[in-house]
Amino acid sequence: MAHDSPPAPAPAPRPTGLAKAAAYARLAKLDIIDYYLGLVLAWTLLAPAARFEPAVWAALVLLLVGEVCMVAAMTSFDDVTGLRDGSDAANYGPDAPRRKLARKPLIAGTLTEREAVRLGTAAAVAAALLWASAVWAAPHQPPWAAAGLALCLFFAVQYSWGLKISYRGGQEVFLVALGVGLLVAPYGLLSGTVHAFAVVQGVLFGLGPLLFGVYSNTNDIPGDARVGRRTVAVLASPRGNAAFVGAVSAAEALIIVGAAASGIAPWWFPLAMAPVIALRALQFTIGFLRHDILRARNLGIRVHRVSVALLAAANLAAPLVGGAGAAA
């Protein structure tokens, strides 16, 4: 006598209320603050007398909320693409227990693809409106700064959507360029100009997300390779990928030392940033010598935040301590 097959499990109920809001917050990655910290550096780069002007603070608030919306759009579309091509299922599946599935609400089933697209679209429109308002409210309106913000938003939306920059070999350059734009363009709106030390800090700031992104990419090689996401980690051999990460880490140290040697930064700048150089060496050791990639990735997030804190302290100290590179 044939046995009846067990009934299929009922689908998990969709969250409502606060649970739904929490799922949207995870989709928008509201807990990842790392790009927003560029505004802290832009503010500390200002001359002391300009830091408390009402127009400066009005522009900073609009820029910050606009950045939150930009990141929400970028991450929402990235998750939709990851759902469609299966890369998120591979990278956050049962074989990856250290990756929290709840951070991917589409894979976890707490949000639908349609809801994610709707959030991404609304967030992109909101970012454009907020940044246009920031340009209007800012103390200065140099056209290059407004154009820089527009480019940041355009390419952020295209990160895994439309042009799919991160799939076509441009991810690593994009991560650095976005950091540069999100520091230098706001600084231009707040000060009306830009100087070499601000650009140096923009590059160092952009290297932060890259130097935890490359460790994520190393962990995600199987899933990314399967869907054709052309990161350096996928395209290079294991030794070549390690050499690339090591070279980027060394480049960060060289930029710090070179900025002081060239007179762009104060002579004491490398001393102030020495903890970052030491922590990068530790991060590389954990990731590629001890082969604990996700631990190295998490350390990279903390190193980026330490770097921002030290850069901000250097900016605040520069007018007092003196030396080339003091904030203008």
Side-chain angles (χ1 to χ4, degrees):
M1 178 177 178
H3 296 284
D4 293 335
S5 59
R14 294 285 179 190
T16 58
L18 291 177
K20 189 82 164 184
Y24 276 117
R26 289 192 295 271
L27 181 67
K29 305 297 185 289
L30 294 184
D31 61 324
I32 300 298
I33 63 171
D34 301 283
Y35 275 123
Y36 313 147
L37 298 176
L39 295 176
V40 174
L41 296 181
W43 181 79
T44 59
L45 278 164
L46 293 173
R51 290 175 186 151
F52 297 98
E53 293 178 2
V56 165
W57 282 96
L60 281 172
V61 170
L62 291 167
L63 287 165
L64 175 59
V65 182
E67 282 192 25
V68 172
C69 292
M70 181 210 73
V71 171
M74 180 171 68
T75 58
S76 297
F77 289 133
D78 184 60
D79 278 17
V80 170
T81 300
L83 173 71
R84 290 178 177 178
D85 65 20
S87 60
D88 280 351
N91 295 334
Y92 287 80
D95 294 332
R98 293 178 62 182
R99 304 295 288 272
K100 295 181 180 179
L101 183 62
R103 291 187 58 77
K104 293 291 184 178
L106 300 186
I107 300 298
T110 51
L111 290 176
T112 67
E113 179 182 326
R114 181 179 179 183
E115 288 171 330
V117 172
R118 191 163 53 202
L119 174 64
T121 303
V125 172
L129 294 175
L130 286 160
W131 278 355
S133 300
V135 172
W136 175 82
H140 308 274
Q141 290 85 28
W144 62 265
L149 288 178
L151 288 173
C152 285
L153 178 58
F154 174 80
F155 285 110
V157 173
Q158 306 298 318
Y159 178 69
S160 298
W161 190 264
L163 296 178
K164 290 189 174 183
I165 295 167
S166 67
Y167 280 71
R168 304 184 189 279
Q171 184 195 82
E172 292 81 8
V173 172
F174 166 83
L175 292 175
V176 178
L178 185 63
V180 174
L182 291 178
L183 192 160
V184 172
Y187 179 68
L189 293 176
L190 301 179
S191 69
T193 186
V194 68
H195 50 75
F197 195 30
V199 176
V200 165
Q201 293 198 30
V203 174
L204 293 174
F205 179 70
L207 285 172
L210 175 62
L211 280 169
F212 56 79
V214 290
Y215 288 88
S216 289
N217 290 345
T218 301
N219 182 80
D220 295 346
I221 288 173
D224 287 347
R226 191 176 70 186
V227 300
R229 195 168 198 162
R230 295 165 59 86
T231 64
V232 170
V234 168
L235 297 175
S237 66
R239 180 173 294 182
N241 180 50
F244 171 74
V245 176
V248 174
S249 303
E252 182 183 47
L254 289 174
I255 291 169
I256 291 169
V257 174
S262 64
I264 292 173
W267 64 266
W268 44 263
F269 185 58
L271 298 176
M273 299 299 292
V276 172
I277 298 173
L279 286 169
R280 288 299 183 205
L282 176 61
Q283 182 186 13
F284 185 86
T285 298
I286 291 171
F288 289 98
L289 300 183
R290 300 179 187 171
H291 306 290
D292 194 344
I293 289 295
L294 288 181
R295 184 183 168 204
R297 184 257 186 193
N298 292 336
L299 176 60
I301 296 174
R302 293 192 290 271
V303 175
H304 174 62
R305 295 172 185 178
V306 168
S307 176
V308 170
L310 294 175
L311 287 170
N315 291 337
L316 294 174
L320 303 174
V321 178

